[in-house]
Structures are given as C-alpha cells and as structure tokens.
C-alpha cells in the first residue's frame, strides 16, 4: 500500500525551488498522476518553470482563458514580466481576485500578487498580501522582501515560522542561508555550506551559484566568486542575477573595468528593467543632476 504522505511532486518542486528549472520540467514528464488536483498543481509548477527560464511566450501561448485560476495567475505574471507597461492592468486583475472570497484563498494567486507588487516596488503591499500565509513559498518570499528592506529582525521572525512548519524543507534551508548571509560572520559560512550542499546533492543553478558567490564576496573572495558565477554561466547560460553579481565582483577587482562594463551591457540587454540596472541608472542621474548644479553655479 502506497504511503499517503509521500509528496508525488517533491522532485519537481525541489528542482524548481533550487532554480534548476529545466530539470523541473524534465522531471514532470516522468510523472504519472491520477489525482486531478495534483495534475493541476504540476501544470502550474511547469509553467512557472518556463517563465523562470525566460520563456514567457510559452506561458502566454499555452495558458488559455479557460485554464485554472492558478494558471491564469501565472499567465498574469508572464504578461507583467514580458511587458512592464502592462503591470498596472495586471495589478488591477490580481486586486479583483484578492477581493473575491474564494479566489483570495488560492495560494498561487497570493504568491503572484506578492511577486507583482515586488516588481512594482511596492514591498509594503506585497507584505500585506503575504501576511499570515501558512504556505512555505509565501513565507520564503516574505523573508526575501524583509531582507531587501534590511529588516533582518523581522526576517528572522518569519524564518522561525518556517522552521516550526518544516525545518528540513528546501525553501526553509534556502531562507536560513539568506538570513545567515545578512547576519554576517558565522552566518556567512553557514549559508555557503547550505548552497554547496545543495549543489553537491543535486546540481548547480544560477540561483545556487549566485548564493555561494555572494558568500564568497562577503568574505572578500571576489576572484573565487567570479569563478563560481562563470561556471554557472557556462552551464546554464546568462541570467540577470549572475551578471549583476559579476558586475559587483569586477567593481571590487583591480584592472577589471572592461569586464565590468561588458557585464553591465549584457545585463541591460537581458533585462533593462532589472532592479540593479534601475539603481545604477538612478545613481547616474543623481550624479549628473548634482554635477549640473556645480556647472551652472
């Protein structure tokens, strides 16, 4: 008799959360599910993996208006990600869902709402939408948002909820790593060990390589970080986060100006709206404005 507690989607979920998106898609093809609910959840994961790979066109092509609410939410995220000018209408639609008694309980709807608000730079609203969720992915996103706001204290509280829910879960372990990295000192080494353990147990990904590289950067090991990021690029191709961190590495290395500028050009070509690019552009504009004041004076 089969164990009713076995998660039939574990492998797909695990690869997805580790950033191994193609492996998640391939693992999904080997599953033979009988539960309609599990089939629906699997479809949602697969299309989220396509979107995470940068294949928004696949989601937009395949997900029809008659799809499940979860898939429609993923489609909405694909619309916003591929065309930032549509973000306003995407937020309007997700707000309608959040105002519906039934739709608002859908975990994918709430997660997508949080991601859309993050894309829009509205972290306060993202946290409001995610608040109180018992879904580990929503809690993990909450931790990431709080860390981006430099609220390590609140991130630690949310992490405590995650460890009490399921300490050994991949999402919980990744959150432990990110919080440890922000704590500094011994936390950096703990974070590095977690990223490396996942790489050795499963496979590398841009997400895991970036995590390990950031740990190396935090310890001033920029050449080692470049090697990790370069290896991930050779295995998986370019990603915006990899290039952003390569830019940071080259900025802290002597005689690497050419590599730094190349990384920035490649990052801008892949994702001109990436938050890192936006911050650099804002800094340049602020500098130009201040310089103009002195010139006019």
């Amino acid at each position: 008799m089969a164990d009713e507690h076995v998660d039939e989607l574990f492998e797909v979920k695990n690869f997805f959360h580790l950033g191994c998106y193609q492996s998640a898609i391939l693992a999904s093809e080997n599953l033979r599910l009988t539960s309609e609910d599990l089939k629906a959840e699997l479809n949602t994961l697969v299309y989220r993996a396509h979107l995470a790979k940068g294949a928004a066109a696949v989601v937009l092509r395949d997900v029809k208006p008659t799809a499940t609410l979860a898939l429609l939410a993923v489609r909405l995220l694909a619309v916003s990600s591929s065309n930032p000018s549509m973000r306003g209408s995407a937020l309007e639609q997700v707000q309608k869902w959040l105002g519906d008694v039934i739709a608002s309980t859908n975990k994918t709807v709430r997660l997508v709402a949080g991601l859309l608000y993050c894309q829009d730079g509205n972290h306060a609203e993202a946290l409001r939408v995610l608040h109180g969720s018992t879904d580990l992915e929503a809690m993990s996103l909450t931790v990431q948002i709080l860390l981006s706001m430099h609220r390590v204290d609140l991130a630690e509280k949310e992490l405590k909820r995650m460890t009490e829910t399921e300490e050994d879960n991949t999402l919980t372990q990744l959150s432990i790593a990110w919080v440890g990295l922000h704590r500094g000192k011994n936390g950096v080494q703990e974070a590095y060990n977690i990223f490396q353990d996942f790489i050795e147990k499963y496979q590398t990904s841009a997400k895991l390589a970036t995590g390990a590289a950031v740990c190396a950067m935090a310890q001033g090991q920029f050449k080692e970080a470049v090697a990790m990021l370069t290896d991930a690029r050779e295995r998986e191709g370019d990603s915006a986060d990899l290039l952003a961190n390569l830019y940071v590495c080259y900025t802290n290395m002597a005689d690497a100006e050419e590599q730094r500028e190349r990384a920035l050009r490649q990052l801008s070509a892949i994702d001109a709206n990436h938050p890192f690019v936006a911050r650099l552009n804002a800094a340049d504009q602020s500098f130009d404005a201040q310089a103009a004041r002195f010139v006019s004076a």
Side-chain angles (χ1 to χ4, degrees):
M1 182 176 174
D3 185 350
E4 62 180 1
H5 297 297
V6 171
D7 185 353
E8 295 180 73
L9 301 182
F10 172 79
E11 186 176 24
V12 178
K13 289 179 183 177
N14 203 51
F15 277 133
F16 178 82
H17 295 314
L18 291 173
C20 306
Y21 303 117
Q22 185 60 33
S23 294
I25 294 169
L26 293 174
S28 74
E29 297 173 356
N30 298 322
L31 293 178
R32 299 293 179 267
L33 304 172
T34 56
S35 165
E36 293 301 318
D37 287 343
L38 285 179
K39 288 179 182 178
E41 186 175 357
L42 178 63
N43 280 337
T44 301
L45 281 167
V46 168
Y47 282 108
R48 287 184 64 195
H50 280 296
L51 180 56
K53 282 182 61 185
V58 173
V59 181
L60 298 175
R61 180 197 67 202
D62 292 355
V63 179
K64 308 301 181 185
T66 54
T68 63
L69 180 59
L71 276 178
L72 290 176
V74 175
R75 192 182 196 283
L76 202 63
L77 188 60
V79 168
S80 176
S81 300
S82 60
N83 187 356
S85 67
M86 296 294 292
R87 189 166 299 150
S89 59
L91 283 169
E92 287 179 10
Q93 178 57 62
V94 86
Q95 285 164 1
K96 290 179 182 177
W97 285 336
L98 292 172
D100 182 87
V101 175
I102 296 176
S104 62
T105 62
N106 186 289
K107 67 179 184 179
T108 304
V109 167
R110 291 183 69 179
L111 183 68
V112 166
L115 291 168
L116 283 171
Y117 280 120
C118 285
Q119 285 184 350
D120 200 46
N122 192 342
H123 290 157
E125 193 62 23
L127 290 173
R128 187 191 69 78
V129 168
L130 299 169
H131 179 70
S133 175
T134 57
D135 175 55
L136 278 173
E137 193 168 4
M139 287 190 269
S140 176
L141 179 56
T142 298
V143 169
Q144 293 173 55
I145 294 170
L146 291 169
L147 290 175
S148 73
M149 298 169 67
H150 308 293
R151 291 305 306 268
V152 180
D153 55 332
L154 296 181
E156 288 176 335
K157 290 182 179 179
E158 190 69 6
L159 178 58
K160 185 173 184 292
R161 288 183 65 219
M162 294 183 72
T163 57
E164 290 171 349
T165 301
E166 191 176 348
E167 185 171 5
D168 293 332
N169 187 280
T170 295
L171 285 167
T172 305
Q173 289 299 307
L174 288 172
S175 295
I176 289 172
W178 285 116
V179 170
L181 183 56
H182 280 75
R183 284 179 184 144
K185 297 183 180 179
N186 294 336
V188 174
Q189 187 60 52
E190 180 185 16
Y192 179 79
N193 291 340
I194 290 173
F195 292 127
Q196 282 299 118
D197 284 347
F198 278 132
I199 290 171
E200 292 170 7
K201 187 174 181 179
Y202 298 102
Q203 63 189 65
T204 192
S205 69
K207 183 176 184 176
L208 293 175
T210 298
V214 172
C215 292
M217 290 159 63
Q219 296 172 317
Q221 300 169 353
F222 295 103
K223 288 186 178 179
E224 291 82 354
V226 167
M228 295 175 194
L229 294 168
T230 302
D231 179 63
R233 287 183 73 189
E234 291 173 352
R235 292 170 181 267
E236 297 210 346
D238 284 335
S239 83
D241 288 343
L242 281 176
L243 290 166
N245 281 284
L246 274 172
Y247 178 90
V248 174
C249 286
Y250 291 136
T251 299
N252 286 276
M253 294 168 62
D255 302 320
E257 184 175 351
E258 182 179 344
Q259 295 97 317
R260 182 190 68 194
E261 294 307 312
R262 185 187 307 121
L264 181 57
R265 288 194 300 271
Q266 292 170 329
L267 171 57
S268 299
I270 289 176
D271 187 357
N273 299 299
H274 191 276
F276 187 79
V277 176
R279 286 197 296 270
L280 286 178
N281 289 338
D284 286 343
Q285 290 170 7
S286 177
F287 178 83
D288 291 342
Q290 293 298 321
R293 288 176 58 192
F294 286 103
V295 171
S296 61

